[in-house]
Amino acid sequence: MSGNRLQATECHATIQCARKDGSLSGFTSPGDFRDSRRSGIPGAPGGSAPPAGRRPGRLARRLVRLYTGLVLYGASLALMVRADLGLGPWDVFHQGVSGHTGLTIGTVVIVTGAAVLLLWIPLRERPGLGTVSNVIVVGLAMDAALALMPEPDPLAVRAPLLVGAVVINGAATGLYITARFGPGPRDGLMTGLHRVTGRSVRLVRTGIEVAALATGFLLGGTVGAGTVLYALAIGPLSQFFLRALGAPAAGPDGGRNGSENGPGNDSDGVDGSGGTAGRPRERRRRRRAILRP
């Protein structure tokens, strides 16, 4: 009898504590609380609510963000090709190889991405869903967009096309990075070399892109005003869109807390003291302290 009275007292105390921070506002009695623990009502201690990162709706939104970003990325590269005013360093390389092999530029993007991904093995980098998707989707989207777009002749059309392509590329970068499914193959190469060699990220990235640009130029890729515009604008644009789009909280379903040029931890909207994840942790700590024998 005394055991039942003690259990009821503990449940009542837990409900009162949880009501203060709003986590169990729907429970009105110790009996409701005990029933919720048996039935697994989400939000109750001992319930079976899935972790936030595993909610199907959140995962679906992240997947939509990932693939929308990758498709837009490929389309933006196609716009830069059609503008014919210069490409980014890697795409100068892709275009040069395409001209010598007869492969479409999108196919070269895929093959190059797969080859770079093989270099991750000795660097001990770990790919994610976004890494593999980046290799495949960007090239396919680029070829599809090129097949649908005519070649504009007047400079008055090509110049705005170039500017729009760079802006779309920045937005696409923000989308697929904030989806947090892993870095792209070229950026994983950069971070792997940074870790192995001890050189700064800036130095490693500059070395890789200069090598790609020089090789592509020698192979006949297009270098011009677009190359300079892309080099100067893509960093600020990516940073702007990363902040504007925000970063969904990473969870146990495969999301990561960083990627490519990715945002830092302070852009997650999550911290250990007052962020969105901090409050549930504090509530769980209080409940465990009350229910502890």
Side-chain angles (χ1 to χ4, degrees):
M1 189 71 177
S2 61
N4 292 336
R5 192 179 302 114
L6 176 60
Q7 185 179 15
T9 303
E10 289 174 344
C11 291
H12 182 73
T14 304
I15 292 169
Q16 294 303 319
C17 177
R19 278 177 181 168
K20 290 179 182 179
D21 57 20
S23 62
L24 290 176
S25 57
F27 297 102
T28 58
S29 71
D32 293 339
F33 178 78
R34 287 193 300 270
D35 292 343
S36 71
R37 296 191 71 188
R38 295 191 196 103
S39 61
I41 293 176
S48 59
R54 293 181 179 174
R55 291 173 185 165
R58 178 171 295 182
L59 178 60
R61 287 194 298 272
R62 289 176 58 214
L63 287 170
V64 168
R65 179 174 287 203
L66 169 68
Y67 289 107
T68 300
L70 292 176
V71 169
L72 286 176
Y73 198 96
S76 70
L77 300 182
L79 288 171
M80 290 186 69
V81 171
R82 285 291 182 249
D84 197 26
L85 292 171
L87 303 172
W90 275 104
D91 295 305
V92 173
F93 173 78
H94 297 147
Q95 189 181 52
V97 173
S98 174
H100 282 271
T101 60
L103 299 172
T104 66
I105 189 170
T107 302
V108 175
V109 169
I110 294 172
V111 172
T112 303
V116 171
L117 196 56
L118 290 177
L119 296 176
W120 283 33
I121 297 173
L123 296 174
R124 297 184 179 181
E125 291 289 297
R126 296 174 61 186
L129 174 64
T131 311
V132 179
S133 298
N134 186 302
V135 172
I136 299 169
V137 175
V138 171
L140 293 177
M142 189 176 185
D143 274 349
L146 285 170
L148 294 173
M149 287 188 294
E151 296 184 18
D153 288 327
L155 181 61
V157 176
R158 291 187 291 128
L161 194 65
L162 172 65
V163 173
V166 175
V167 173
I168 293 171
N169 191 275
T173 299
L175 281 169
Y176 83 79
I177 287 180
T178 56
R180 296 185 179 279
F181 278 106
R186 295 156 188 81
D187 291 292
L189 175 64
M190 172 193 69
T191 55
L193 288 173
H194 157 67
R195 192 188 68 253
V196 169
T197 64
R199 303 293 183 180
S200 69
V201 171
R202 180 179 298 179
L203 180 61
V204 172
R205 188 181 187 95
T206 300
I208 291 173
E209 297 206 352
V210 167
L213 178 63
T215 305
F217 177 72
L218 293 175
L219 291 173
T222 305
V223 177
T227 309
V228 177
L229 177 63
Y230 186 86
L232 294 176
I234 193 60
L237 282 170
S238 297
Q239 185 175 13
F240 169 79
F241 283 108
L242 284 169
R243 290 176 176 173
L245 294 167
D253 55 30
R256 293 189 177 190
N257 284 332
S259 74
E260 308 219 7
N261 312 320
N265 290 336
D266 58 347
S267 66
D268 297 344
V270 180
D271 59 63
S273 57
T276 56
R279 288 190 294 272
R281 281 199 295 268
E282 180 63 15
R283 287 197 291 267
R284 288 194 295 271
R285 187 188 66 79
R286 290 176 187 172
R287 289 195 292 265
R288 282 197 298 268
I290 292 171
L291 293 173
R292 190 177 294 123

